[in-house]
Amino acid sequence: MEKYSVELKPKEEKKEQKLPPLEKAEKGKVVMRFAPNPNGPPTLGSARGIVVNDEYCKIYDGKFILRFDDTDPRTKRPLLEAYEWYLEDCEWLNAKPDEVVYASKRIPIYYEYCERLLEMEKAYPCFCSREEFKKFRDTGEECPHRNIPAEDALEIWEKMLNGEFEEGQVVIRIKTDMKHKDPAIRDWVAFRIIYEDHPLVGDEFCVWPTLDFESAIEDHLLGITHIIRGKDLRDSELRQRYIYRYFGWDYPITKHWGKVSIHEFGRLSTSELRREIEAGNYEGWDDPRLPTIRALRRRGFRPEAIRNFILSLGVGENDVSVSVKNLYAENRKLIDPIANRYFFVWDPVKIKIEGLEEEVEVKIPLNPTKGGFRVLKGMRDIYICREDFERFEEGDLVRLKDFCNVRLVDKENAVFEFEGFELKDVKKGKNIIHWLPTEGVVECHVLGIERNYEGLAEKNSLNDLGNVVQFERFAFCRLESFDDKLRAIYTHP
RNA sequence: GCUCCGGUGGUGUAGCCCGGCCAAUCAUACCGGCCUUUCGAGCCGGUGACCCGGGUUCAAAUCCCGGCCGGAGCACCA
């Protein structure tokens, strides 16, 4: 009995720093933020922003802010439920923000700063169409509106706010340098007119700041010291620095990482996922095949595994393309010592064991490191996987794991012959298979990644409802619910 | 096209700023072995990389130049 009760060795956590030191970071003074647009649930991609920023805050005793950059009610319209999802998932990832900010609720603040810029003649209302302005930008010429005097500019701004212009008729641009060597930086748009209800603040506003403007102001107001984000926002820094210069502010220290793509999931774009779901290709945002945090949680991943996986990607600027197997490995380290083992027989075939005198009680270890047992009834009629059954030929000796040895004598009728309880002859290898009696089992459906599985599982496993278990020789699965049958979700091998 | 960034084993990563201790770290994958019972788990071991060419130097993955390859931005999206 004690041969299974090996003591649980707590895999000691190496306290090594998982991230490179942050430039000019002082303990206790670091303020960082993760600033998503909540137009869908957090994905593994968002988790990178959450985890890396949070991890640095933890390392430096800093402050972690979650800021919703939700200032576009149309093109990347926020999803009302998603605000809550971000809060939930951050907390689940052990990255509870110290402060939460909603940009859409702070629009008047951005207006004030815009007015100051207009007064300083560092911003101007521009009536060029996109196409017209593109020409100026490409040639490096100033557009005719660039030198509108402050008073007139302010007047136009007032009219914008009052809804006296059509959408697209006028925008506010920040003066940079029309000769800037990178055309992307030249006089960028800070405010535009959009007549559309915002999911959070309704129709209160019709003049909306762009991300570059809103983010620039907020980062300063919030006292952000370090920004780490995707390299797609690299030029933002160059644009925003103009505002910082005009106001005499210091720009935070920045770092940018490349794109992550996961072999099995592809690029992690929220908009794409949304399209797929709306097209009915997935059941919802928590469909286990999806790379959303809620799907991963549903599958039974540990938040620590996700953190470790993300941190292992580092913060380099080159794009990474990694396999989920790395995530699986991280999770396995955490759950292997605690997940109870059970038998799950998919595509079951009923076989008969001839010559088995009486039913026996079979004790099987619950977990090799933790110890404990579960009991199955060893009887004449049992189930095994069709996959296994098909492999065998008459005369083959098979070990029913922890039960007995049997020999296939009549494949046609699925009859085996009892050979003894002793573990001998078949001590290892593919001929040790798992099995299930005809009593003490429940129907089980496993929602898989590539395919789903129908079969039978030990009734014992009901004790682990809600937990992740290992179905031996199958995979780790999370037992989600039990109604007419046990419903499990495939976690990973 | 213009601007910027990056290239370390199959994959990801450390090292590069401040050249030598790097015949290059760690993980994953793969292969092999082990296990009185998961060969789809676990344990142990092994294979495997500095994009190319020049230069500087006693010494270069690390510094410089050129090339090649990859990526990002150039939206009234974030």
Side-chain angles (χ1 to χ4, degrees), chain A residues 48 231 256-260 313 315-321:
Chain A
R48 191 178 194 190
K231 67 178 176 186
H256 296 88
W257 59 57
K259 258 192 185 170
V260 183
L313 264 30
V315 285
E317 222 171 295
N318 41 348
D319 293 348
V320 301
S321 176

Side-chain angles (χ1 to χ4, degrees), chain A residues 26-82:
Chain A
E26 266 182 77
K27 221 171 165 81
K29 292 190 178 160
V30 169
V31 183
M32 299 181 74
R33 48 50 164 204
F34 169 61
N37 174 26
N39 62 341
T43 61
L44 229 25
S46 336
R48 191 178 194 190
I50 296 169
V51 171
V52 172
N53 280 290
D54 173 73
E55 184 71 18
Y56 271 124
C57 287
K58 283 189 163 67
I59 292 171
Y60 291 104
D61 282 329
K63 180 178 177 185
F64 177 53
I65 298 175
L66 170 64
R67 186 182 74 218
F68 291 107
D69 281 351
D70 55 348
T71 59
D72 175 15
R74 176 130 67 216
T75 317
K76 293 229 168 139
R77 177 164 241 271
L79 200 63
L80 201 51
E81 312 91 285

Side-chain angles (χ1 to χ4, degrees), chain A residues 106-120 154 157 161 191 213 217 221 247 249:
Chain A
R106 288 156 64 91
I107 303 295
I109 296 175
Y110 314 136
Y111 287 173
E112 278 177 40
Y113 284 95
C114 178
E115 275 157 36
R116 284 171 57 183
L117 255 8
L118 288 168
E119 282 163 14
M120 293 155 70
L154 255 0
W157 166 250
L161 297 182
F191 286 87
F213 190 84
I217 302 298
L221 261 24
F247 285 127
W249 299 339

